[in-house]
């Protein structure tokens, strides 16, 4: 899969293509249907497929301070899009100039003149151009004028719930990682770099990896979770955790109220492992919520609760691994 960032990365001899457009945060099951439709259309025509997305999130440019919680990094979105068969992952830097383009200029200057689109595949609720003045009907009309076809893909709904990034964010914020997983088609992932914390976990017999994630990352509600823990990078021959292999973990999200903490952290205890992961890029895939975060009257009571958390995490992950 090719990766472009900005218009200058488009080759001068670029031919016709099928384009799907959106933020695609989370690449949830609705997105997967949309991307799949674009890939299928491109293969049917014998041309390449392009996923066009934006960075930063358009809402942050249009209304500074309104950036929604982010379900996935750009790198993760590219990885997932590639798995679905997309030929080009195209990131278009979003700025005030782009936000002011009329629907007609957006289509003519970007889709027609630069990408030479043969077909555009978007969701039924697609909006584009200055103040989202363009919709599916406008895009279809412009396609007739400029010589490309448009396909609108219905939104995915189940049990009267529309699968959307907004819905997934609400599930994550509530700590309902099982519902988030159902909408995503896989566990919600938090990525980050392991940094040094207060080292209380080691003193309590549960050394944890303190995962420092990027700004705007969608972090589940405070609580204790069963999760899969994966280290990125390469193996050096003496690694206790093989790169790319998911390991069972119990994960604490919150401020450590027993110790009057003030900063929310994501701390992962990798079951049956005691390794130094400082500086490593890791991923935490949330499988089930074990309990909410709560203060304890004593360190002994906390340790007893942690003992139970680990066993419940072990049970949940054993069942999850068996069903995978």
């Amino acid at each position: 899969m090719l990766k472009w960032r900005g218009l200058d990365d488009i080759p001068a001899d670029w031919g016709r293509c099928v384009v799907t457009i959106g933020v695609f945060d989370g690449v949830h099951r609705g997105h997967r249907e949309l991307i799949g439709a674009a890939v299928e259309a491109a293969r049917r025509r014998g041309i390449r497929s392009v996923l066009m997305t934006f960075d930063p999130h358009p809402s942050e440019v249009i209304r500074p301070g309104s950036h929604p919680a982010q379900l996935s990094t750009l790198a993760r979105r590219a990885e997932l899009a590639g798995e679905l068969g997309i030929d080009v992952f195209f990131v278009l830097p979003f700025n005030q100039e782009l936000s002011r383009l009329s629907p007609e200029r957006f289509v003519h200057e970007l889709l027609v003149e630069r990408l030479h689109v043969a077909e555009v595949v978007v969701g039924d609720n697609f909006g584009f151009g200055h103040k989202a003045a363009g919709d599916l009907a406008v895009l279809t009309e412009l396609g007739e004028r400029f010589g490309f076809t448009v396909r609108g893909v219905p939104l995915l709904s189940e049990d009267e719930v529309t699968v959307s990034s907004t819905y997934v964010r609400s599930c994550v914020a509530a700590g309902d990682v099982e519902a988030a997983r159902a909408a995503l088609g896989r566990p919600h992932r938090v990525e980050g770099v392991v940094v040094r914390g207060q080292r209380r976990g080691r003193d309590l017999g549960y050394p944890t990896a303190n995962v420092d994630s990027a700004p705007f990352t969608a972090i589940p509600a405070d609580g204790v979770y069963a999760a899969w823990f994966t280290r990125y990078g390469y193996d050096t021959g003496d690694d206790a955790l093989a790169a790319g292999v998911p390991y069972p973990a119990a994960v604490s999200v919150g401020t450590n109220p027993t110790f009057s903490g003030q900063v929310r952290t994501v701390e992962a205890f990798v079951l049956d492992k005691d390794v130094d992961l400082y500086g490593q890029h890791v991923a935490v895939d949330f499988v089930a919520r074990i309990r909410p975060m709560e203060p304890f009257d004593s360190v002994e009571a906390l340790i007893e609760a942690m003992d139970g958390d680990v066993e419940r995490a072990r049970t949940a992950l054993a069942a999850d691994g068996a069903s995978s």
Side-chain angles (χ1 to χ4, degrees):
M1 182 182 70
L2 298 174
K3 296 179 183 179
W4 300 340
R5 185 175 182 90
L7 296 173
D8 291 343
D9 279 354
I10 302 174
D13 60 351
W14 182 251
R16 303 299 295 276
C17 64
V18 174
V19 178
T20 184
I21 310 169
V23 176
F24 295 103
D25 189 18
V27 192
H28 54 63
R29 289 173 52 227
H31 290 148
R32 293 171 72 89
E33 290 197 357
L34 186 60
I35 294 169
V39 170
E40 178 187 7
R43 289 175 178 168
R44 185 174 62 250
R45 292 174 176 268
I47 57 181
R48 285 175 286 189
S49 58
V50 177
L51 183 153
M52 177 192 285
T53 190
F54 308 98
D55 182 52
H57 195 288
S59 67
E60 182 63 18
V61 174
I62 297 168
R63 297 177 299 278
S66 65
H67 196 302
Q70 184 170 279
L71 297 171
S72 55
T73 64
L74 274 176
R76 178 64 169 160
R77 277 174 254 175
E79 176 187 6
L80 293 168
E83 291 174 358
L84 293 171
I86 281 290
D87 295 310
V88 181
F89 187 81
F90 177 30
V91 179
L92 194 58
F94 198 87
N95 52 33
Q96 288 291 344
E97 181 182 0
L98 183 60
S99 75
R100 295 190 185 103
L101 289 182
S102 67
E104 182 173 348
R105 287 188 60 198
F106 179 91
V107 167
H108 184 258
E109 296 178 15
L110 301 180
L111 301 185
V112 177
E113 292 293 318
R114 302 305 297 268
L115 290 173
H116 314 304
V117 294
E119 184 172 344
V120 179
V121 181
V122 293
D124 280 350
N125 65 337
F126 181 64
F128 68 105
H130 185 53
K131 295 185 177 179
D135 57 12
L136 184 60
V138 171
L139 183 62
T140 301
E141 178 185 335
L142 291 169
E144 292 172 354
R145 187 192 311 177
F146 292 117
F148 62 85
T149 61
V150 175
R151 177 179 174 186
V153 176
L155 301 181
L156 177 63
S157 295
E158 292 180 344
D159 300 322
E160 300 183 354
V161 172
T162 298
V163 176
S164 67
S165 297
T166 299
Y167 170 71
V168 178
R169 290 186 194 105
S170 69
C171 293
V172 172
D176 191 349
V177 294
E178 291 92 341
R181 178 179 187 163
L184 288 168
R186 65 185 183 283
H188 173 59
R189 171 172 292 189
V190 170
E191 296 181 33
V193 175
V194 178
V195 298
R196 295 193 180 278
Q198 299 296 320
R199 299 181 66 84
R200 292 197 186 98
R202 183 168 296 279
D203 294 338
L204 297 173
Y206 289 102
T208 59
N210 190 346
V211 182
D212 184 30
S213 56
F216 308 118
T217 296
I219 305 293
D222 291 1
V224 178
Y225 297 84
W228 296 108
F229 183 95
T230 306
R231 181 176 69 83
Y232 286 97
Y234 302 93
D235 292 332
T236 61
D238 58 353
D239 299 290
L241 295 186
V245 176
Y247 291 88
V251 180
S252 170
V253 177
T255 59
N256 294 312
T258 300
F259 298 98
S260 301
Q262 300 296 318
V263 179
R264 289 189 84 219
T265 59
V266 176
E267 299 182 61
F269 170 67
V270 184
L271 274 55
D272 307 316
K273 299 287 184 180
D274 183 1
V275 292
D276 185 347
L277 294 167
Y278 295 119
Q280 299 272 0
H281 181 198
V282 301
V284 178
D285 292 319
F286 290 85
V287 171
R289 193 182 195 200
I290 294 172
R291 63 172 173 85
M293 187 58 64
E294 56 187 304
F296 292 91
D297 295 333
S298 66
V299 171
E300 291 75 19
L302 173 60
I303 293 175
E304 183 178 355
M306 293 170 70
D307 291 341
D309 295 338
V310 167
E311 291 312 308
R312 291 176 66 185
R314 194 185 302 277
T315 299
L317 294 168
D320 186 62
S323 64
S324 297

